[in-house]
Amino acid sequence: MRGRAEGAQEGAGRLLRLWGWVRRWAGPLGVLGGLGAYAVLAPMGWAYADTARYRYSVEGVPETPVALVLGAGVWSGQPSPLLARRLDLAVDLYRRGKVKVVLVSGDNRFRGYDEPTVMRAYLVGKGVPESKIVRDFAGLETWDSCTRARRIFGVTKLTVVTQDFHLPRAVALCRAAGIETWGVGDDSMGGSRTQATVRGYVREPLAMLKAMRSLTLRPDPALLGRKEPGVEQALASP
């Protein structure tokens, strides 16, 4: 009995010490947690507020010369479900006369993986003339696509096309690149797109935090290169 009593007292002592530690550090840890959450979420709040007046529906967006469609993955030679929705929006914009040229920007770093060419083929299959589609093979991330549209292709005014969760960041980055930018997004909820869309919303605060570097420093894209006349030629073509 005595051994059990001593064990119980020892256990109670440990609990009291643990409780004391929790009370001692709960305040500082709570403050640090709050600061961390603010640091992650504040850029998102700013982007949503700052770009609100530039985000539209397909029906309401102002006319611009160019639609910039950002890459979002290719599966077995076909656009991913999210990318297909972006391309469908671009087709709708073109048919409505909201844009004259579609600039498709994506990844082509690896042999056998060519987002822009797959994107072009999809648009052509939907009735967009090939002469009105321009490929950017070095759109490795959103900032690269935006700044290359300005510096390589000479675009000064465009409509960026992506998902709703990505749209505030995309509009903010393209405007920071010196382009008069409006944005059109798709909610992409339903069917095979739902899971990817939910993941997009989850990762977007961290992606926006990373984007603050580009918004602040305006770095060169990963691949720059010489100027290309593709957009100008597409606008001039009949």
Side-chain angles (χ1 to χ4, degrees):
M1 294 293 293
R2 182 178 179 182
R4 291 182 180 178
E6 290 176 349
Q9 289 177 350
E10 183 177 352
R14 289 176 180 172
L15 287 174
L16 287 172
R17 288 194 295 272
L18 177 61
W19 176 243
W21 185 90
V22 169
R23 292 184 62 185
R24 179 180 178 183
W25 291 103
L29 290 175
V31 170
L32 289 175
L35 290 174
Y38 177 80
V40 171
L41 296 177
M44 277 292 296
W46 169 83
Y48 269 85
D50 191 64
T51 65
R53 62 189 181 278
Y54 304 119
R55 291 182 275 121
Y56 285 85
S57 65
V58 171
E59 297 81 7
V61 69
E63 293 182 13
T64 61
V66 178
L68 171 62
V69 183
L70 304 172
V74 169
W75 299 355
S76 302
Q78 296 296 321
S80 69
L82 294 190
L83 180 54
R85 287 299 299 135
R86 298 181 186 188
L87 294 167
D88 288 340
L89 285 178
V91 171
D92 198 359
L93 288 168
Y94 182 81
R95 288 175 177 170
R96 291 172 182 267
K98 295 286 187 174
V99 300
K100 297 179 175 63
V101 169
V102 182
L103 175 60
V104 291
S105 182
D107 195 347
N108 182 222
R109 285 175 294 176
F110 308 108
R111 188 173 183 177
Y113 187 83
D114 187 347
E115 282 187 344
T117 298
V118 170
M119 293 161 77
R120 183 181 66 178
Y122 185 93
L123 291 171
V124 170
K126 295 286 186 174
V128 179
E130 188 170 332
S131 62
K132 295 297 183 180
I133 305 168
V134 180
R135 293 173 295 172
D136 175 13
F137 294 99
L140 307 185
E141 56 184 49
T142 305
W143 171 251
D144 289 1
S145 295
C146 291
T147 193
R148 282 179 56 83
R150 179 69 184 92
R151 297 173 64 181
I152 301 299
F153 294 94
V155 178
T156 58
K157 189 175 184 179
L158 61 73
T159 299
V160 64
V161 182
T162 184
Q163 266 67 42
D164 283 344
F165 64 78
H166 180 212
L167 193 58
R169 175 163 58 98
V171 171
L173 287 169
C174 281
R175 295 190 74 85
I179 304 172
E180 190 176 358
T181 304
W182 286 265
V184 171
D186 180 73
D187 67 10
S188 290
M189 295 299 287
S192 61
R193 299 184 300 272
T194 300
Q195 186 175 1
T197 300
V198 171
R199 286 200 303 268
Y201 276 107
V202 170
R203 68 177 289 273
E204 190 59 22
L206 291 178
M208 187 64 222
L209 189 62
K210 177 185 175 184
M212 294 304 294
R213 175 181 178 274
S214 298
L215 289 167
T216 304
L217 301 179
R218 316 288 171 89
D220 287 339
L223 299 171
L224 192 56
R226 65 179 184 273
K227 293 183 181 296
E228 297 186 21
V231 169
E232 184 179 355
Q233 291 172 351
L235 287 170
S237 69

